[in-house]
């Protein structure tokens, strides 16, 4: 699948939330390292320091550059910020219901690198040692009011402008009632029910297996809708769950990698 990359999204993704963006409230900064057992100290993606593991900065990034570019950063007090190349990364405009822990388990990622907004909300993860560092999935709220309408508008754009196939169409997702999905070359799209407007999920072949992404869809559909303007419950997306009370969790701290 080719089609749209996160840098060239379709019009449906560009129109995110019709309401005002959600507000976020800063949370106190505490330095909490990654829990051992998730990755090894010899993993090149992490740095061992006094017995704790932290995500390593991308060698290609500029250590003096904007925070969140090339390495996770939480000093903004809003989100774990991460973007591989954006010159000035920003946190996503609101909580779209993703649970990072579900993605990590379903797709086999040991590290959550962070989020950043570029037309849609991108969530970045580190795969196994043989994979390139950043894998992503993207979420947005569609302009269309129903899953069927959103999928139809998307199918027309992809079919006529990208795939050159007037019969291109989304199909029901097996085991996920009300969801529709489609693919072209290495890119995949799904339109999800559950909120007042559908959400569009985008991923690549190497982002997750079909079985894994279906588990992610089920979690997204079950997640309670977050009203516009609601403060975030956690710097790490948890699908509506509050941040753990345990201060030793990997949810906070400017260098943590949950």
């Amino acid at each position: 699948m080719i089609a749209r990359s996160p840098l060239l999204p379709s019009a449906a993704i560009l129109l995110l939330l019709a309401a005002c963006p959600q507000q976020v409230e800063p949370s106190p900064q505490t330095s909490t390292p990654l829990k051992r057992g998730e990755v090894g100290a010899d993993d090149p993606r992490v740095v061992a320091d006094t017995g704790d593991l932290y995500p390593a900065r991308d060698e290609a990034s500029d250590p003096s550059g904007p925070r969140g570019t090339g390495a996770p950063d939480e000093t903004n007090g809003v989100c774990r910020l991460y973007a591989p190349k954006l010159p000035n990364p920003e946190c996503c405009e609101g909580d779209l219901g993703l649970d990072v822990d579900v993605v990590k388990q379903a797709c086999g990622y040991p590290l959550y690198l962070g989020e950043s907004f570029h037309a849609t909300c991108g969530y970045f993860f580190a795969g196994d040692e043989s994979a390139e560092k950043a894998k992503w999935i993207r979420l947005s709220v569609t302009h269309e009011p129903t899953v069927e309408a959103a999928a139809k508008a998307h199918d027309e754009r992809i079919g006529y402008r990208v795939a050159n196939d007037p019969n291109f169409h989304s199909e029901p997702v097996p085991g996920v009632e009300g969801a529709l999905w489609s693919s072209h070359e290495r890119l995949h799209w799904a339109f999800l029910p559950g909120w007042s407007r559908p959400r569009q999920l985008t991923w690549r072949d190497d982002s997750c297996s079909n079985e894994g992404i279906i588990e992610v869809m089920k979690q997204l559909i079950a997640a309670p809708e977050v009203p516009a303007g609601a403060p975030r419950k956690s710097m790490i997306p948890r699908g509506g769950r509050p941040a753990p009370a345990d201060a030793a969790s990997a949810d906070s701290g400017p260098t943590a990698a949950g």
Side-chain angles (χ1 to χ4, degrees), residues 53-257:
L53 300 180
Y54 298 86
R57 174 171 286 277
D58 189 334
E59 293 180 0
S61 66
D62 179 2
S64 63
R67 294 186 181 278
T69 294
D73 180 81
E74 291 184 3
T75 56
N76 57 77
V78 172
C79 75
R80 177 174 298 167
L81 187 63
Y82 177 84
K85 297 180 180 179
L86 291 180
N88 291 292
E90 296 181 356
C91 294
C92 296
E93 293 183 330
D95 188 340
L96 296 177
L98 185 79
D99 190 326
V100 161
D101 290 337
V102 171
V103 178
K104 288 170 63 178
Q105 182 173 357
C107 303
Y109 291 128
L111 291 171
Y112 171 60
L113 298 172
E115 69 180 60
S116 57
F117 179 81
H118 190 75
T120 64
C121 186
Y123 302 93
F124 296 87
F125 299 82
D128 59 35
E129 294 183 24
S130 63
E132 65 180 84
K133 183 173 182 179
K135 304 294 184 182
W136 54 262
I137 62 176
R138 305 191 73 87
L139 270 173
S140 64
V141 176
T142 71
H143 179 64
E144 294 81 10
T146 67
V147 167
E148 293 75 15
K152 180 180 179 181
H154 168 80
D155 291 348
E156 290 176 351
R157 284 189 298 273
I158 298 301
Y160 286 98
R161 299 181 185 179
V162 178
N164 195 26
D165 178 7
N167 296 316
F168 183 90
H169 65 281
S170 296
E171 299 179 345
V173 181
V176 186
E177 185 176 358
L180 297 173
W181 67 358
S182 62
S183 63
H184 181 65
E185 294 192 357
R186 298 184 65 195
L187 201 59
H188 304 252
W189 306 272
F191 296 90
L192 308 176
W195 287 18
S196 56
R197 286 189 181 272
R199 284 160 294 168
Q200 177 173 319
L201 176 67
T202 305
W203 70 101
R204 290 172 60 90
D205 282 351
D206 58 3
S207 300
C208 198
S209 66
N210 283 349
E211 296 77 12
I213 205 70
I214 284 175
E215 292 305 310
V216 174
M217 291 182 201
K218 291 178 179 178
Q219 177 273 308
L220 283 165
I221 293 170
E225 182 164 4
V226 181
R232 291 196 182 191
K233 295 182 178 180
S234 172
M235 295 180 74
I236 307 298
R238 298 188 181 279
R241 295 183 293 118
D246 182 4
S249 73
D251 180 69
S252 59
T255 53

Side-chain angles (χ1 to χ4, degrees), residues 8-21:
L8 294 173
S10 66
I13 293 188
L14 287 172
L15 298 167
L16 292 179
L17 295 173
C20 295

